[in-house]
């Protein structure tokens, strides 16, 4: 845009200079010619209409038939035609130039018009080529930048996928270790405890009794430590998002299931187990009682609490319950499941809100953060 304005200023200045050089005395007609050139480039800059150059050319041909000096303004129109870089515009500009040369009635005016038209063509082509190069460079830059962004996104997704696979594999390995300890070492220690208890019962030698009791105490402590370690390994290996997705997989044969988890900070093991229990109760109720086809499960962490929302679009009888209501009055498996959800929430100091009707069935549980 800036280059085109500069080009038009140059064309107008050359027309002014040519008008002054070709005339000994500046007359009104000369001023009109210059003003026409200025009006042509200004109007074209404002409206950018593809039809205006043809109007200008027609007016120029009529004016030149009465005032031959008017052909000096032709280069401003030719610049506009050539600048479009369209074949029919180039043909029209060539025809206009021939008419202008024929109408000039003066060799000097014709030569100057031809030279100025050549200058106008040159700077029009130069600016068009320059803009084409700039646009191509910009396009290549944008493509390269987009490709770089896509590559960065793919690397990030690959890294996240790899981290997720590593994390999942680590959780599975922790579960495997916990299971191995429980099934092997735990059972062997349990057998040792039973055997030691039997030895203590049948032992009659008071001298070795204290030693046997010491061994029994050590074995019991070892058993307690093993149980604690297995419990901690198992609890730490629970991933809430993975657990919820695994639970919801049982619904995917009948329902369109969407699971959303947004957890920024580590969730205590006690909370994880209860959240999974609540989600499981909801899924059980949906699989048994829902007549819908869509389920949404959301577990979101807020500043002071966790929120679990389970929704299905199945129709149900109107219901609205919240913590403090008598869930026992519901009766049936449906009521037992909802009562269990409420008990789990209240056990952690949380609340449950349940709504149902023609628009679907929703269970929202909030569990406060401690400390």
């Amino acid at each position: 845009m800036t280059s085109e304005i500069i080009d038009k200023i140059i064309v107008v200045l050359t027309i002014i200079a040519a008008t002054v050089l070709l005339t000994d005395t500046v007359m009104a007609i000369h001023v009109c010619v210059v003003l026409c050139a200025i009006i042509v480039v200004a109007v074209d800059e404002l409206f950018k209409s593809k039809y205006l150059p043809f109007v200008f050319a027609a007016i120029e041909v009529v004016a030149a038939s009465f005032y031959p000096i008017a052909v000096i303004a032709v280069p401003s129109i030719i610049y506009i035609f050539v600048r479009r870089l369209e074949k029919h515009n180039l043909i029209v500009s060539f025809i206009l130039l021939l008419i202008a040369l024929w109408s000039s009635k003066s060799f000097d005016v014709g030569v100057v018009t031809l030279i100025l038209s050549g200058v106008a063509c040159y700077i029009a082509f130069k600016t068009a080529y320059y803009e084409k190069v700039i646009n191509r460079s910009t396009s290549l830059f944008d493509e390269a930048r987009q490709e770089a962004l896509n590559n960065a996104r793919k690397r990030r997704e690959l890294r996240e996928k790899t981290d997720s696979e590593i994390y999942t594999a680590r959780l599975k390995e922790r579960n495997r270790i916990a299971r191995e300890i429980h099934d092997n070492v735990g059972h062997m220690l349990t057998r040792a405890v039973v055997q030691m208890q039997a030895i203590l019962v049948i032992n009659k030698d008071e001298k070795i009794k204290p030693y046997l009791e010491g061994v029994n105490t050590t074995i019991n402590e070892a058993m307690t430590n093993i149980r604690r370690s297995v419990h901690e390994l198992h609890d730490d290996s629970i991933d809430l998002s993975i657990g919820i997705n695994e639970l919801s997989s049982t619904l995917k044969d009948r329902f369109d299931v969407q699971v959303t988890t947004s957890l920024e900070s580590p969730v205590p093991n006690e909370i994880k187990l209860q959240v999974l229990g609540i989600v499981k109760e909801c899924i059980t109720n949906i699989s048994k009682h829902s007549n819908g086809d869509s389920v949404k499960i959301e577990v979101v962490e807020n500043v002071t609490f966790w929120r679990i929302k389970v929704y299905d679009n199945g129709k149900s009888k109107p219901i609205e319950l919240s913590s403090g209501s008598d869930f026992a009055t519901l009766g049936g498996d449906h009521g037992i499941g909802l009562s269990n959800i409420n008990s789990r929430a209240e056990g952690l100091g949380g609340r449950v809100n349940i709504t149902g009707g023609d628009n679907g069935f929703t269970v929202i549980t909030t569990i406060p953060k401690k400390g």
Side-chain angles (χ1 to χ4, degrees), residues 5 54 67 76 102 119 138 140 189 193 211 240 256 259 272 310 323 342-343:
I5 293 174
F54 295 95
Y67 305 99
S76 63
W102 180 79
V119 172
T138 302
L140 290 175
L189 284 175
V193 168
Y211 300 104
L240 202 53
D256 176 23
V259 178
K272 284 194 283 190
V310 181
S323 293
N342 184 60
S343 297

Side-chain angles (χ1 to χ4, degrees), residues 281-282 285 319 321 327 330 333-343 352 354 361 363:
E281 292 284 1
C282 292
N285 272 337
I319 182 174
L321 289 172
F327 283 82
L330 295 174
D333 293 340
H334 191 54
I336 293 174
L338 297 180
S339 180
N340 289 339
I341 292 172
N342 184 60
S343 297
V352 176
I354 299 171
F361 196 86
V363 179

Side-chain angles (χ1 to χ4, degrees), residues 122-150:
Y122 170 74
I123 61 177
F125 278 119
K126 177 184 67 65
T127 299
Y129 175 77
Y130 170 77
E131 287 187 355
K132 184 178 180 181
V133 171
I134 291 296
N135 291 336
R136 185 170 182 273
S137 300
T138 302
S139 177
L140 290 175
F141 174 77
D142 290 341
E143 290 176 1
R145 183 175 61 179
Q146 186 61 45
E147 185 177 357
L149 291 173
N150 290 337

Side-chain angles (χ1 to χ4, degrees), residues 23-75:
T23 56
D24 295 329
T25 303
V26 178
M27 301 173 62
I29 185 61
H30 304 134
V31 176
C32 289
V33 169
V34 173
L35 288 177
C36 287
I38 295 173
I39 291 171
V40 166
V41 296
V43 171
D44 177 69
E45 190 66 32
L46 288 173
F47 297 101
K48 295 293 183 182
S49 171
K50 63 180 181 179
Y51 301 109
L52 279 176
F54 295 95
V55 176
F56 295 148
I59 294 173
E60 178 63 31
V61 169
V62 174
S65 64
F66 293 99
Y67 305 99
I69 192 65
V71 300
I72 297 296
V74 166

Side-chain angles (χ1 to χ4, degrees), residues 140-314:
L140 290 175
F141 174 77
D142 290 341
E143 290 176 1
R145 183 175 61 179
Q146 186 61 45
E147 185 177 357
L149 291 173
N150 290 337
N151 290 335
R153 177 179 56 79
K154 289 179 181 178
R155 287 195 299 270
R156 184 176 64 254
E157 290 176 352
L158 180 60
R159 185 171 60 250
E160 291 174 353
K161 182 180 179 182
T162 303
D163 291 344
S164 177
E165 290 175 351
I166 293 173
Y167 180 62
T168 303
R170 186 173 62 190
L171 296 181
K172 290 182 178 178
E173 182 63 14
R174 291 171 72 98
N175 264 330
R176 186 190 67 79
I177 293 172
R179 187 169 58 251
E180 290 289 336
I181 293 174
H182 177 269
D183 293 344
N184 296 323
V185 181
H187 288 172
M188 292 175 67
L189 284 175
T190 301
R191 188 168 57 187
V193 168
V194 173
Q195 290 173 346
M196 184 55 64
Q197 291 292 337
I199 292 172
L200 286 172
V201 171
I202 64 176
N203 176 58
K204 304 300 182 182
D205 191 342
E206 295 295 330
K207 292 182 180 181
I208 66 172
K209 185 176 181 180
Y211 300 104
L212 294 176
E213 290 178 346
V215 173
N216 184 57
T217 302
T218 302
I219 294 175
N220 278 289
E221 288 178 356
M223 188 63 189
T224 301
N225 291 333
I226 286 293
R227 286 173 177 167
R228 185 185 303 114
S229 298
V230 169
H231 182 72
E232 290 175 354
L233 273 174
H234 176 69
D235 286 351
D236 289 340
S237 66
I238 296 174
D239 183 277
L240 202 53
S241 297
I242 294 175
I244 293 171
N245 277 281
E246 288 179 350
L247 289 173
S248 63
S249 63
T250 59
L251 296 174
K252 292 183 178 179
D253 292 338
R254 291 175 48 203
F255 300 88
D256 176 23
V257 182
Q258 297 180 26
V259 178
T260 304
T261 57
S262 178
L263 303 169
E264 300 296 333
S265 57
V267 182
N269 291 327
E270 181 186 10
I271 302 296
K272 284 194 283 190
L273 294 173
Q274 295 303 329
V275 169
L276 291 174
I278 290 170
V279 172
K280 186 176 181 180
E281 292 284 1
C282 292
I283 288 174
T284 301
N285 272 337
I286 290 171
S287 63
K288 288 183 177 179
H289 305 289
S290 176
N291 55 13
D293 59 6
S294 176
V295 175
K296 294 181 180 179
I297 302 173
E298 297 177 2
V299 179
V300 180
E301 179 183 3
N302 288 295
V303 178
T304 57
F305 62 90
W306 290 279
R307 182 173 67 88
I308 305 100
K309 179 181 178 181
V310 181
Y311 164 81
D312 72 90
N313 63 348

